[in-house]
Amino acid sequence: MSAALLAPDSEEEVARAVAAAAAAGEPLAIEGNGTKRALLRPVQAARTLSTRNLRGITLYRPQELVLSARAGTPLPEIEAALAEKGQHLIAEPPDTRALFGAELPATLGGVVAANLSGPRRIAWGAMRDHVLGVRFVNGAGEVIRSGGRVLKNVTGLDLCKLLTGSYGTLGVLTEITLKVLPAPESTGSLALRVADLAAGVRALSAGLGSPFGPTGAALLPQGAPAFGLEGPTAVLRIEDFAEPVAYRLGRLRDLLAPLGAPRLLDAESSRALWRMVREAGLLGATAAEAVWRVSVPPTAGPAVADALRAAFAARLLLDWGGGLVWVAGPATEAAHAAVMAAARAGGGTWTLFRAPEPLRAAVEVLPPEPPPLAAIAARVKAALDPKGVLNPGRMRAGA
């Protein structure tokens, strides 16, 4: 973490701060409320530029399903404004305070910069898919706008998707426009005890392949005792109006009955359970442990899980139908090497999501890019941040 904190009150002040850093060749660590400092590599910078003072919803048109807010706006503030109008954030981004031990909530800019999405991603897409427009300051201190404030717009080069998931390495987000949707009136879940993880993924695949539209599909290797779920359990969620939820859950129960004895969870229990899935609370990671996210084809999820259990008795949580494997284990290079090997064997990727700084500085927190892709990424970085002052080394050493 840097010694000095810059927290501008306006986009113009952000631009001046970045321009001054570029002129001096001094790197900046970019953050919102700093809740995810333990994510990816540590940034070596003398100063931190925070967007925490760029707060407030600047546009909200519920009838048009569009919301714009400054990048430093706390996520709970946005969720509360949407809830008043019966709407919600489509990608269901997680509240990571517990996982990172943070007191302050995540900001909209931080969630978009990390492209964080929750269980609903399998049905409605990632955070990146719902960003309609952005304003940001590039590494030269220039203010750039991309996209718009309407659902249908033609923008040419889609910088919105480029900035989403770039972890502040290409620009400092100052304002974001999102598509939003009506929140479901009701929800319910179907839980099925399974013999093993492979059987669990088969059950989830059957549900996801059905016409009943699950919006969540998770596999709980340790179960969820607080909800009366013991042992490996597959869980499918339905969200809609009350009557369709009841009908579709009933049809799903009939569909999965040959695989076991499905149990229905009511709306209150369902919401609480999926909140814990979204925030990886069911993973049970201790403060001293590292946390990884491994993304693989869903059918490869059980093999990844088995390999990591054998390597270091990993604790696990599978989301997205088995395609997202949350892993908790010792914060060691040996454990990280096992995660990388399992991800590669499964044809997927890994992210070192949380770890002590020495480990994050010593290992590849993300897979290396293939040379052609790395060359493109280097040209993009040179165009948007020619002096390399924005979050240098955050994603990869020397980048």
Side-chain angles (χ1 to χ4, degrees), residues 18-336:
V18 174
E26 296 178 350
L28 292 170
I30 310 302
E31 67 178 32
N33 275 337
T35 60
K36 293 179 282 295
R37 291 181 187 133
L39 170 62
L40 302 186
R41 291 174 49 83
V43 176
Q44 300 302 317
R47 294 184 296 172
T48 291
L49 178 62
S50 169
T51 60
R52 66 185 62 189
N53 289 337
L54 300 181
R55 297 181 58 160
I57 295 172
T58 56
L59 173 80
Y60 182 27
R61 295 175 180 159
Q63 69 279 11
E64 296 179 20
L65 305 177
V66 171
L67 178 143
S68 299
R70 296 185 179 91
T73 307
L75 207 59
E77 185 176 316
I78 293 171
E79 291 172 332
L82 291 171
E84 287 184 5
K85 299 295 184 180
Q87 297 182 338
H88 67 172
L89 293 172
I90 304 169
E92 199 178 4
D95 182 344
T96 56
R97 278 178 285 190
L99 196 59
F100 287 107
E103 294 183 4
L104 297 174
T107 63
L108 177 61
V111 167
V112 171
N115 191 31
L116 291 181
S117 308
R120 204 175 288 124
R121 184 188 189 281
I122 59 166
W124 289 98
M127 176 61 75
R128 173 182 283 117
D129 300 311
H130 309 298
V131 177
L132 299 176
V134 295
R135 291 178 65 92
F136 69 98
V137 176
N138 69 6
E142 301 167 329
V143 177
I144 297 176
R145 185 185 71 182
S146 178
R149 288 179 157 186
V150 294
L151 295 184
K152 296 181 179 180
N153 61 74
V154 179
T155 61
L157 180 61
D158 192 352
L159 293 179
C160 300
K161 286 186 170 57
L162 186 66
L163 269 289
T164 306
S166 65
Y167 294 96
T169 61
L170 300 178
V172 183
L173 289 166
T174 56
E175 185 182 72
I176 297 125
T177 298
L178 298 173
K179 175 185 176 181
V180 299
L181 281 179
E185 175 187 276
S186 183
T187 184
S189 295
L190 195 69
L192 177 70
R193 174 75 180 267
V194 292
D196 53 35
L197 300 187
V201 168
R202 288 195 293 272
L204 295 179
S205 297
L208 290 170
S210 75
F212 308 122
T215 62
L219 183 55
L220 320 179
Q222 296 89 226
F227 299 89
L229 305 177
E230 302 289 343
T233 304
V235 187
L236 290 158
R237 178 180 64 184
I238 299 291
E239 297 177 301
D240 207 323
F241 295 102
E243 187 174 344
V245 165
Y247 171 77
R248 287 153 63 188
L249 284 173
R251 294 298 303 273
L252 267 180
R253 181 171 54 186
D254 295 341
L255 176 69
L256 299 180
L259 304 178
R263 174 188 163 191
L264 291 175
L265 300 180
D266 62 22
E268 182 179 353
S269 297
S270 183
R271 289 189 181 97
L273 175 66
W274 285 99
R275 190 178 305 114
M276 294 190 71
V277 172
R278 180 188 70 178
E279 298 167 9
L282 295 173
L283 190 61
T286 67
E289 289 182 312
V291 175
W292 295 264
R293 282 166 49 120
V294 178
S295 181
V296 291
T299 53
V304 169
D306 290 342
L308 295 177
R309 278 175 163 171
F312 55 84
R315 287 193 305 286
L316 304 154
L317 170 64
L318 284 69
D319 199 359
W320 301 351
L324 174 65
V325 184
W326 285 94
V327 184
T332 65
E333 292 191 37
H336 184 73

Side-chain angles (χ1 to χ4, degrees), residues 338-381:
V339 171
M340 291 194 299
R344 286 179 171 134
T349 63
W350 68 86
T351 301
L352 182 53
F353 200 75
R354 188 197 77 184
E357 185 171 318
L359 179 61
R360 293 185 291 117
V363 301
E364 292 179 325
V365 298
L366 296 168
E369 295 174 315
L373 184 58
I376 294 172
R379 291 199 296 272
V380 171
K381 174 71 171 175

